[in-house]
Amino acid sequence: MTEVRHRGAKDGEPPLEQQPSEDKGSDSELKAEKDAVSDNESKVDSGVPEVPVSADDTPEVLNKALSGLSSRWKNWWVRGILTLAMISFFFIIIYLGPMVLMMIVLCVQIKCFQEIITIGYSVYHSYDLPWFRTLSWYFLLCVNYFFYGETVTDYFFTLVQREEPLRILSKYHRFISFALYLTGFCMFVLSLVKKHYRLQFYMFGWTHVTLLIVVTQSHLIIHNLFEGMIWFIVPISCVICNDIMAYMFGFFFGRTPLIKLSPKKTWEGFIGGLFSTIVFGIMLSYVMAGVRYFVCPVEFNNDSNSFQVDCEPSDLFQLQDYTLPGVLESVTGWTTVRLYPFQIHSIALSSFASIVGPFGGFFASGFKRAFKIKDFANTIPGHGGIMDRFDCQYLMATFVNVYIASFIRGPNPSKVIQQLLALRPDQQLYIFHSLKAHLTEKGLLPAVEAAA
Amino acid sequence: MTELRKRGGGGGDPDTADNISDKEAESDDRLGLPGDGEGEGDVDSKTDAPDVPVSTADTDNTPECLNKALKGLPPRKRRHSGHTALQQRGRAARWKNYWIRGLLSICMISGFFLIIYMGPITLIFVVMCVQIKCFHEIITIGYRVYRSYELPWFRTLSWYFLICVNYFFYGETVADYFGALVRREVPLQFLARYHRFISFTLYLAGFCMFVLSLVKKHYRLQFYMFAWTHVTLLIVVTQSHLVIQNLFEGMIWFIVPISIVICNDIMAYLFGFFFGRTPLIKLSPKKTWEGFIGGFFPTVVFGFLLAYLLSQFQYFVCPVEFNSDTNRFMVECEPSDLFVLQEYTLPAAVQSTLRWKTVTLYPFQIHSIFLSSFASIIGPFGGFFASGFKRAFKIKDFANTIPGHGGIMDRFDCQYLMATFTHVYIGSFVRGPNPSKVLQQLLMLQPEQQLGIFHTLHSHLQERGLLPPAAVQAE
């Protein structure tokens, strides 16, 4: 748990220091931390005294199993085991299907929100503020309702049209969401208490920025998921691979520091991570692009009332021959190579994950440095909170979503139909005739129909 | 000038920035305002206890000409010999203040009419200027609060983010409304197709610059300013784009909401001035229930009448469209059903009192009742929010741009909620999607999807009888 040293006098003289988490346990470590990094990819230190790890939150079973090892190795074993546990968990939920994935994304989002808001409460000592915890969760609910409503309306279009109450909810969705949000806003204004204005405004701002970061990105992840599970799995795996590879390369070859913010990151780790992630991304996409389960857009089947992933794979996932450029030809002796086009896209995704993704990690490090916390929370032993693990993922999710929208798919057909049916009759006729002319031009409609 | 009590201590230590606890309000004794900080924090100052001398700080920016014109204003109520000279001077200063405020109000309203006359392009331009000024005001407050003038890069980054977000929103608007123009010019086509990607890249560049600019002792300040910038962008920029989208729907959707909010401000002020007795909310002690309720009814009536007046003109009622042939905006169309007079049967109760059976109204007038109700009931919460904000950061006004009134943000604080509400209202109850946008999306789909939609639409239109069934053979 992130600890907060309570302020003595109420006139706010002592600075807002926060003690590090229970793992550290003494003030001397606070000083060591000022030089040491407080992010999670701790590479080999250069003379910084070792920080003994308290295994307070490690489960008993692990403690017993590792009791014989020295504390540093124990820390690494704990981290390693938890890493394997998390990766296996990831595989299990992929196996369980889209519904479970969505649930998990929702839970992760709620946990990240809770972690960040808790930090805010600790920073501002706002536990005693009236209403505020209620309001933060209320805003989270509102924004989630808004986003899920938009998603549901898009993807479950037929189901929504069938059920009358759902139809009304979806028709006036924006208005209802806005009304809910406004209620929260008015409650906030009414809850302003005389001596606490600034605190309350800070918490209001904090909540909104957190919502902006956490909730919007988790919905972009779900949009990516609906595009095809491969668009969910490959980016997340690339980021994880980059984390691990950069750590390994830094561990073995690390020499030149990368950025003052995280002194344990090195250029060797950065570049080594880049190349290995690209290779990993290419191989992973090759493996996954052949499996329909991953490649097809997730659709809701109205008859069976369940999700299905069955389709004809799009061009992106069909093997194609590419002619190698002259340079590579001479080196490898091949003229052409058979690839999925998706593998080319995966190079772009991996590059982003390796080059820009770490900035998400630096941002989180800077945040933890600014508010003098070691980890966001202590949910995962050895790793910190959920937010610690997901900090690089947020930029990645947004990038993938923007990438898909710009380079891969066009608009969603069911959404277009929905909009079409909402137009006025004369507008519908106008579009009908324009579309007919367009299709006839392209030869998709026999010319005899055009005469009518 | 925003008066902000300077705190002692160096600017380099980030932790003291948080020591602005509200407990310091006790010792805060600025400007002779009442010591508990409950002084005049909002701009709708009703009559209060007569002995409070008016702060003369805000007449510093009064233009010379006004000062000269008002110099001769004699102090009133001289015959009450029991009052001290100080009170007389206070009263004189107060009347001067009222005159200045009144004059500036009339100036602003005339300015509003002028820009409406000048047309949509000028309106968009003015909205953008207002947005930039509001952003500047709020960011300046942030700089003062956090004393972050010396932080590297930060001013550049704030303005850079403003440009990015504006680019994103304007790009979305331009692509929608100027569809034909965009399709003609190839560079514009490229920018439009990859618009989101380009905007995201620009934003990312700013984000990376922020991370690279983090300086060791100033982390917390920098994060605060980052968050402050983003919240300001969220409030100011998104709402100004909603205002512009309302504008494109028809200038009446821009004029009527703004006028209603202004009317509510003025009516609530007047009713409070003459009849104000019961305080409304602790946050703004000068607001009264009489003002609140008294503002509600005249605003509804005003909105009703204004809607009637404006609905007759095509200039106000038609959606703003860009004519690609003449390369200008035009506002000419067949008014939609909303702006065509219709007969409504009065409910029986009203019939017996008025002895009219039916009444001829524009349907838009019914909508205006809802807009007015929102402006009177929920709109003031925007004002309370801004008052609370000023109270929290111990500033009297956002800035001193408008003499007597404060900054641009002070005048526009109630408008933001209204703009969002109008936009959501239009989206939910008035218009459907934009046909050219739908066509644009259609043309971007895959051919099989287009065929599928074609057939769906075809059967739908046949069902509704809009297409003769025998004319087109289904494939």
Side-chain angles (χ1 to χ4, degrees):
Chain A
M1 232 159 327
T2 53
E3 297 213 341
V4 179
R5 189 183 64 187
H6 288 288
R7 281 202 283 207
K10 275 290 197 174
D11 46 353
E13 269 315 301
L16 220 61
E17 295 275 331
Q18 289 199 5
Q19 283 229 335
S21 68
E22 282 174 318
D23 283 356
K24 298 306 162 182
S26 79
D27 257 334
S28 61
E29 266 85 39
L30 187 56
K31 296 195 185 21
E33 267 178 21
K34 285 207 160 65
D35 304 319
V37 70
S38 58
D39 65 350
N40 301 301
E41 271 80 50
S42 49
K43 315 260 187 298
V44 170
D45 49 32
S46 44
V48 174
E50 271 174 47
V51 173
V53 170
S54 144
D56 284 349
D57 278 6
T58 322
E60 253 324 288
V61 54
L62 278 180
N63 260 333
K64 284 215 198 84
L66 301 168
S67 53
L69 298 168
S70 76
S71 55
R72 192 166 89 171
W73 279 106
K74 187 170 170 188
N75 185 30
W76 284 344
W77 270 106
V78 169
R79 284 180 68 117
I81 291 176
L82 260 303
T83 309
L84 284 174
M86 289 193 288
I87 293 180
S88 331
F89 183 66
F90 185 45
F91 284 147
I92 291 176
I93 59 176
I94 289 175
Y95 177 73
L96 286 176
M99 255 313 206
V100 176
L101 268 170
M102 273 175 64
M103 278 286 308
I104 299 282
V105 169
L106 183 65
C107 292
V108 164
Q109 172 207 103
I110 293 178
K111 189 71 179 69
C112 287
F113 182 81
Q114 196 239 343
E115 285 178 7
I116 300 182
I117 291 290
T118 310
I119 293 175
Y121 290 150
S122 314
V123 169
Y124 293 115
H125 297 272
S126 13
Y127 280 122
D128 44 352
L129 279 183
W131 283 97
F132 212 81
R133 259 171 295 179
T134 318
L135 274 175
S136 304
W137 289 103
Y138 178 80
F139 281 126
L140 176 70
L141 265 171
C142 281
V143 180
N144 264 320
Y145 174 75
F146 173 67
F147 277 119
Y148 272 106
E150 301 258 310
T151 323
V152 164
T153 320
D154 280 356
Y155 291 105
F156 293 89
F157 180 61
T158 330
L159 172 69
V160 167
Q161 293 297 97
R162 237 175 20 200
E163 311 283 338
E164 187 61 24
L166 286 185
R167 210 173 58 81
I168 295 183
L169 279 184
S170 98
K171 183 154 157 53
Y172 299 109
H173 179 252
R174 288 203 174 179
F175 190 76
I176 295 173
S177 311
F178 183 64
L180 288 175
Y181 177 81
L182 262 193
T183 316
F185 182 83
C186 295
M187 289 314 308
F188 170 72
V189 171
L190 291 173
S191 79
L192 288 173
V193 176
K194 198 162 142 185
K195 295 273 173 270
H196 300 283
Y197 292 144
R198 194 181 294 220
L199 276 182
Q200 291 182 291
F201 272 92
Y202 278 158
M203 283 311 295
F204 187 77
W206 190 289
T207 305
H208 278 68
V209 175
T210 310
L211 285 172
L212 196 71
I213 298 177
V214 172
V215 179
T216 52
Q217 258 81 298
S218 79
H219 280 274
L220 294 178
I221 290 181
I222 292 185
H223 273 286
N224 296 348
L225 182 76
F226 271 95
E227 203 53 35
M229 281 167 69
I230 199 173
W231 291 104
F232 171 80
I233 297 170
V234 167
I236 290 187
S237 312
C238 284
V239 173
I240 294 175
C241 170
N242 184 60
D243 272 357
I244 297 174
M245 287 298 151
Y247 179 83
M248 296 286 180
F249 274 84
F251 187 86
F252 289 117
F253 308 114
R255 220 170 303 274
T256 335
L258 180 61
I259 187 174
K260 273 206 290 291
L261 193 53
S262 300
K264 288 189 181 156
K265 306 266 185 189
T266 58
W267 276 102
E268 291 82 6
F270 187 73
I271 295 179
L274 171 68
F275 285 113
S276 33
T277 306
I278 290 181
V279 170
F280 172 79
I282 292 179
M283 294 196 310
L284 182 70
S285 2
Y286 182 76
V287 166
M288 292 202 147
V291 182
R292 216 174 255 204
Y293 181 66
F294 296 125
V295 153
C296 293
V298 175
E299 277 167 26
F300 185 73
N301 190 336
N302 301 304
D303 310 317
S304 60
N305 264 2
S306 67
F307 285 102
Q308 62 175 40
V309 269
D310 228 353
C311 66
E312 192 61 39
S314 77
D315 288 340
L316 215 51
F317 302 104
Q318 311 262 16
L319 279 169
Q320 285 183 15
D321 282 321
Y322 288 92
T323 322
L324 285 177
V327 160
L328 285 178
E329 259 184 74
S330 45
V331 163
T332 53
W334 292 330
T335 349
T336 64
V337 66
R338 304 202 66 194
L339 287 179
Y340 293 101
F342 181 73
Q343 291 182 273
I344 318 271
H345 290 296
S346 81
I347 296 180
L349 296 180
S350 314
S351 315
F352 182 87
S354 305
I355 300 177
V356 185
F359 279 90
F362 299 151
F363 186 85
S365 294
F367 181 85
K368 286 187 285 195
R369 220 42 101 69
F371 295 100
K372 304 215 173 36
I373 55 181
K374 181 181 190 303
D375 287 322
F376 279 92
N378 242 4
T379 319
I380 310 177
H383 286 268
I386 301 270
M387 194 63 202
D388 287 301
R389 290 273 55 99
F390 282 82
D391 51 21
C392 298
Q393 301 281 2
Y394 283 120
L395 277 181
M396 192 70 198
T398 319
F399 176 74
V400 171
N401 196 53
V402 172
Y403 189 86
I404 294 178
S406 303
F407 298 112
I408 310 286
R409 71 161 155 84
N412 184 10
S414 52
K415 193 168 187 180
V416 178
I417 292 188
Q418 196 186 330
Q419 291 182 318
L420 261 181
L421 296 175
L423 288 171
R424 289 201 309 262
D426 53 314
Q427 294 169 323
Q428 287 176 347
L429 266 176
Y430 164 73
I431 289 187
F432 177 76
H433 290 300
S434 315
L435 185 60
K436 193 158 86 162
H438 176 81
L439 287 174
T440 321
E441 256 184 69
K442 293 188 83 174
L444 290 162
L445 277 180
V448 64
E449 285 199 29
Chain B
M1 231 156 331
T2 54
E3 274 96 18
L4 185 64
R5 190 186 64 161
K6 297 253 178 276
R7 286 188 307 274
D13 187 352
D15 294 326
T16 57
D18 314 339
N19 284 343
I20 314 161
S21 81
D22 290 311
K23 319 298 182 277
E24 293 175 315
E26 279 92 300
S27 48
D28 185 8
D29 182 32
R30 310 153 40 237
L31 308 175
L33 290 174
D36 58 355
E38 268 187 298
E40 187 183 321
D42 56 353
V43 288
D44 292 345
S45 50
K46 316 263 189 296
T47 319
D48 54 351
D51 288 79
V52 175
V54 167
S55 143
T56 54
D58 50 348
T59 57
D60 283 350
N61 279 354
T62 322
E64 253 323 288
C65 54
L66 276 182
N67 261 331
K68 285 215 199 82
L70 298 169
K71 209 164 37 179
L73 200 66
R76 313 270 294 237
K77 306 200 170 132
R78 208 185 280 241
R79 56 188 177 274
H80 292 261
S81 56
H83 295 275
T84 64
L86 178 64
Q87 285 173 339
Q88 282 181 333
R89 266 206 301 281
R91 282 221 180 79
R94 204 166 67 185
W95 276 107
K96 185 173 171 190
N97 189 29
Y98 289 158
W99 269 105
I100 292 175
R101 285 179 67 119
L103 270 171
L104 260 303
S105 301
I106 296 178
C107 273
M108 290 194 288
I109 294 179
S110 329
F112 184 47
F113 285 147
L114 191 68
I115 59 176
I116 289 176
Y117 177 72
M118 286 172 59
I121 285 272
T122 318
L123 268 171
I124 292 177
F125 188 68
V126 169
V127 168
M128 189 153 143
C129 292
V130 165
Q131 171 207 103
I132 292 178
K133 189 70 178 69
C134 288
F135 182 80
H136 172 69
E137 284 176 7
I138 300 183
I139 291 290
T140 311
I141 293 175
Y143 291 150
R144 295 240 177 101
V145 171
Y146 294 115
R147 283 175 295 147
S148 5
Y149 278 127
E150 66 269 19
L151 279 182
W153 283 98
F154 213 80
R155 259 172 294 180
T156 319
L157 274 175
S158 304
W159 289 104
Y160 177 79
F161 281 126
L162 177 69
I163 294 175
C164 280
V165 180
N166 264 322
Y167 174 75
F168 173 67
F169 277 118
Y170 273 107
E172 300 257 310
T173 324
V174 165
D176 279 356
Y177 291 105
F178 293 90
L181 173 70
V182 167
R183 275 194 280 275
R184 242 176 13 201
E185 311 283 337
V186 174
L188 285 187
Q189 238 186 21
F190 176 78
L191 282 182
R193 176 143 167 68
Y194 297 110
H195 176 68
R196 287 200 174 182
F197 191 75
I198 295 173
S199 311
F200 182 64
T201 314
L202 288 176
Y203 176 82
L204 263 191
F207 182 84
C208 295
M209 288 315 308
F210 169 72
V211 172
L212 291 172
S213 79
L214 288 174
V215 176
K216 195 154 162 199
K217 292 272 172 272
H218 299 281
Y219 290 145
R220 196 181 292 216
L221 272 183
Q222 291 181 292
F223 271 93
Y224 278 155
M225 282 312 294
F226 185 76
W228 189 288
T229 306
H230 278 68
V231 175
T232 310
L233 285 173
L234 195 71
I235 297 178
V236 172
V237 178
T238 52
Q239 256 81 298
S240 77
H241 280 275
L242 295 179
V243 168
I244 290 182
Q245 290 203 320
N246 294 348
L247 182 78
F248 271 97
E249 202 55 34
M251 280 169 66
I252 199 173
W253 290 104
F254 172 80
I255 297 170
V256 167
I258 290 186
S259 313
I260 288 177
V261 173
I262 294 175
C263 170
N264 185 59
D265 270 356
I266 296 175
M267 288 296 153
Y269 177 81
L270 289 175
F271 273 81
F273 186 87
F274 290 115
F275 308 115
R277 218 172 306 275
T278 335
L280 179 62
I281 187 174
K282 273 206 289 287
L283 194 53
S284 298
K286 288 182 184 163
K287 305 266 186 189
T288 57
W289 275 102
E290 290 82 8
F292 187 71
I293 297 180
F296 175 70
F297 290 108
T299 305
V300 171
V301 171
F302 171 78
F304 200 75
L305 294 175
L306 183 70
Y308 179 76
L309 192 65
L310 292 182
S311 298
Q312 301 164 17
F313 297 98
Q314 266 190 16
Y315 181 69
F316 295 124
V317 153
C318 292
V320 175
E321 277 168 24
F322 185 74
N323 191 336
S324 10
D325 308 320
T326 60
N327 262 1
R328 358 158 14 115
F329 285 101
M330 55 175 210
V331 270
E332 255 176 42
C333 65
E334 191 63 38
S336 79
D337 290 339
L338 216 50
F339 302 104
V340 174
L341 282 169
Q342 285 183 15
E343 303 233 356
Y344 289 92
T345 322
L346 287 175
V350 185
Q351 262 189 18
S352 44
T353 41
L354 292 179
R355 276 184 284 120
W356 288 333
K357 285 258 179 52
T358 64
V359 64
T360 318
L361 286 181
Y362 292 102
F364 181 70
Q365 291 181 276
I366 317 271
H367 290 298
S368 80
I369 296 180
F370 290 108
L371 295 178
S372 312
S373 313
F374 182 86
S376 304
I377 299 176
I378 310 276
F381 279 90
F384 299 151
F385 187 84
S387 294
F389 181 84
K390 288 187 283 193
R391 213 56 84 68
F393 295 99
K394 298 207 180 38
I395 55 180
K396 184 179 186 309
D397 286 321
F398 280 92
N400 241 3
T401 319
I402 309 178
H405 285 270
I408 301 270
M409 195 64 202
D410 287 300
R411 290 274 52 102
F412 281 82
D413 51 19
C414 298
Q415 300 281 1
Y416 283 120
L417 277 183
M418 191 70 199
T420 317
F421 176 75
T422 311
H423 189 257
V424 171
Y425 189 86
I426 293 176
S428 301
F429 297 112
V430 177
R431 74 161 153 84
N434 184 7
S436 48
K437 189 172 185 180
V438 177
L439 188 60
Q440 195 185 334
Q441 287 183 323
L442 261 182
L443 296 175
M444 273 169 60
L445 288 173
Q446 307 280 339
E448 316 81 61
Q449 295 167 321
Q450 287 176 344
L451 265 177
I453 292 184
F454 178 75
H455 291 303
T456 314
L457 184 60
H458 177 63
S459 43
H460 175 81
L461 288 172
Q462 271 186 335
E463 257 175 66
R464 295 184 77 177
L466 290 160
L467 276 180
V472 185
Q473 299 279 338
E475 199 162 9

